[in-house]
Amino acid sequence: MEKLRRVLDFCIRHQTVLGCSIVSLLTAASEHIFSTVVFKCPCNSGNMLYGSVFLTVPAFVLFLLGYMVNARTWRLLTGCCPQEKRCSCSPWATCARHCHVLVPVTAKALVAPLTWIAVALLGANFYECAASGSGLIQRLVCEGKGEDCHKQLANLPCDKKGLEELLGESPSLQAQSQLIGWFLIASIAAVTLVATCISRCFSPVSYLQLKFWKIYLKKERELFEIKANEHAARLAERNTNCFFEGTDPALFQTPSNEAWWKISFLYTFSPQEQYYSMIHKYVNTSRGDPVRPGEGDRNPPVLGFVDDASPSESGF
C-alpha cells in the first residue's frame, strides 16, 4: 500500500506532464491505426483533398475536444452571459482577462492535434497523397517532362516504382514529409521550453511556495469533494424524508447562489492580499461584497493550475 500511495502521489504531482504524455501516445496510436487501416489514397486528381482532410480534420477535431475537456473553458463560460449583470467591470477589461485565460487553455488543447500532425508527417502517408496532387509540387517536379508526368505523380502513392526517375535529384515525398515532421517537433519543443522558462521567470511566488500551493489545492479539492458529498447526501435525505413522511423541513444551512458564484469565478492573483484559491478568498473577505477583481489582480500563466480540475473532475 505504501508503494501504491507513492505512485499515486507521483502521478498527482506530475499530472500535467503525464496527462500530456498519455494524450500524445493515444493520439499517435490512433494516427497509426488510421494510416494503416482506414486511409486509402485514391491516386487521382482527388489526392490533394483526400490527403489534406486526413492530415488536418482529425487534428481540428482533437483541438476542439481539447477545449471541451478542459475545466477552465467551462469555468470561464458558465454563467458569463446572465440576464442580470454580476460584474461592473468594463467589457474590454473582461475580454482581455478572458483572452489571457484562453492562452494556456489553447496551449493544452494543441497537444493532441500537433501530435497527430507530427506523427502523420513522420509516417508520410498523408503527406505523400496530398503532395502528389498538389499543383505546386506538380509544377516543380513535372517541368519539361510532358503531360504524362502529372498522372504518374498522382499515381505515386499507389505505385512507387518510378519514384526515383520521376523526382530526379529532388528529395522524395516521404523524405520531405519526415523533414517537415522533425522540424515541427523541434519547434514545438523549443517554444514549450521558452514559454515555460518565461512563465517561471515572471512567477509572483517562489519555487517552494509554488510547491506548497499545489499541495494546498490538492487537499482543498479532496476535502471539498468529501464535504460536498456529505452535504448533498444530508440535504437529499432531509427532503426525501419530508416528502414521504409529510413533515415540515428542518432548517438546513446551504451556500447561497451568490456564494457559489463567488467561488466559481476564475482565480486572479493579488500581491497585496494573497489567497490560494477562490474558497480561500471567499472565507477571508467580506462575503457581502460583490465580486470584482482589484486593480493589481492578474492571472499569471504559472498559476494556471489553480483553476484546473482535479483528476476526479470532468470538464463537462
Side-chain angles (χ1 to χ4, degrees):
M1 288 298 294
E2 180 65 22
K3 291 183 178 180
L4 179 60
R5 187 182 66 80
R6 291 179 179 177
V7 171
L8 291 175
D9 288 341
F10 176 84
C11 292
I12 292 172
R13 285 197 305 270
H14 301 88
Q15 58 181 307
T16 302
V17 176
L18 291 175
C20 292
S21 301
I22 292 173
V23 169
S24 299
L25 289 174
L26 291 176
T27 304
S30 301
E31 191 281 332
H32 179 71
I33 294 173
F34 264 76
S35 62
T36 56
V37 178
V38 180
F39 182 78
K40 301 294 181 184
C41 188
C43 295
N44 54 34
S45 58
N47 284 8
M48 180 66 181
L49 176 62
Y50 190 81
S52 299
V53 165
F54 270 83
L55 185 63
T56 58
V57 172
F60 180 69
V61 173
L62 291 171
F63 178 70
L64 296 180
L65 288 176
Y67 266 104
M68 292 171 63
V69 300
N70 194 309
R72 299 189 79 192
T73 303
W74 305 114
R75 192 159 188 165
L76 182 67
L77 294 179
T78 303
C80 68
C81 302
Q83 293 182 353
E84 66 277 7
K85 197 173 182 181
R86 294 185 174 273
C87 183
S88 60
C89 307
S90 67
W92 289 110
T94 303
C95 182
R97 278 198 302 274
H98 285 191
C99 291
H100 190 70
V101 170
L102 287 175
V103 169
V105 174
T106 303
K108 286 188 177 181
L110 284 172
V111 171
L114 288 177
T115 300
W116 175 278
I117 294 175
V119 173
L121 289 172
L122 292 178
N125 288 342
F126 300 158
Y127 179 85
E128 278 185 324
C129 184
S132 62
S134 170
L136 176 61
I137 298 295
Q138 288 177 352
R139 285 194 297 270
L140 293 175
V141 174
C142 296
E143 185 177 1
K145 294 184 180 179
E147 294 294 331
D148 292 338
C149 178
H150 293 276
K151 294 182 180 179
Q152 293 177 7
L153 184 62
N155 195 50
L156 279 181
C158 300
D159 184 11
K160 300 182 180 181
K161 292 182 179 178
L163 181 62
E164 294 182 2
E165 180 181 349
L166 189 62
L167 294 177
E169 296 181 357
S170 302
S172 66
L173 298 181
Q174 182 178 12
Q176 294 176 24
S177 178
Q178 290 174 344
L179 287 173
I180 297 173
W182 281 117
F183 179 77
L184 177 63
I185 292 173
S187 301
I188 294 171
V191 171
T192 302
L193 177 61
V194 171
T196 303
C197 291
I198 292 175
S199 66
R200 287 301 182 107
C201 288
F202 287 94
S203 173
V205 296
S206 64
Y207 173 79
L208 289 179
Q209 187 176 7
L210 203 63
K211 194 171 184 179
F212 168 80
W213 203 320
K214 294 179 180 180
I215 295 172
Y216 167 81
L217 285 175
K218 173 178 174 291
K219 295 299 180 183
E220 182 187 82
R221 286 164 181 162
E222 290 176 354
L223 292 173
F224 181 86
E225 189 170 348
I226 293 172
K227 292 293 183 182
N229 286 330
E230 293 176 353
H231 197 84
R234 290 200 304 269
L235 181 60
E237 184 179 5
R238 187 205 69 162
N239 294 337
T240 306
N241 290 339
C242 291
F243 173 77
F244 284 105
E245 297 171 6
T247 59
D248 294 331
L251 182 64
F252 191 92
Q253 179 63 37
T254 189
S256 64
N257 289 342
E258 191 66 26
W260 286 111
W261 273 105
K262 288 183 177 182
I263 69 168
S264 298
F265 276 94
L266 288 170
Y267 175 85
T268 54
F269 177 81
S270 174
Q272 289 76 28
E273 297 176 341
Q274 180 182 304
Y275 303 109
Y276 293 117
S277 68
M278 293 307 293
I279 294 179
H280 187 194
K281 182 176 182 178
Y282 174 77
V283 301
N284 283 278
T285 56
S286 179
R287 302 177 188 180
D289 292 342
V291 176
R292 60 171 64 92
E295 284 295 324
D297 289 6
R298 49 202 172 92
N299 198 328
V302 74
L303 299 181
F305 63 88
V306 178
D307 290 319
D308 283 346
S310 62
S312 60
E313 291 177 315
S314 171
F316 296 98

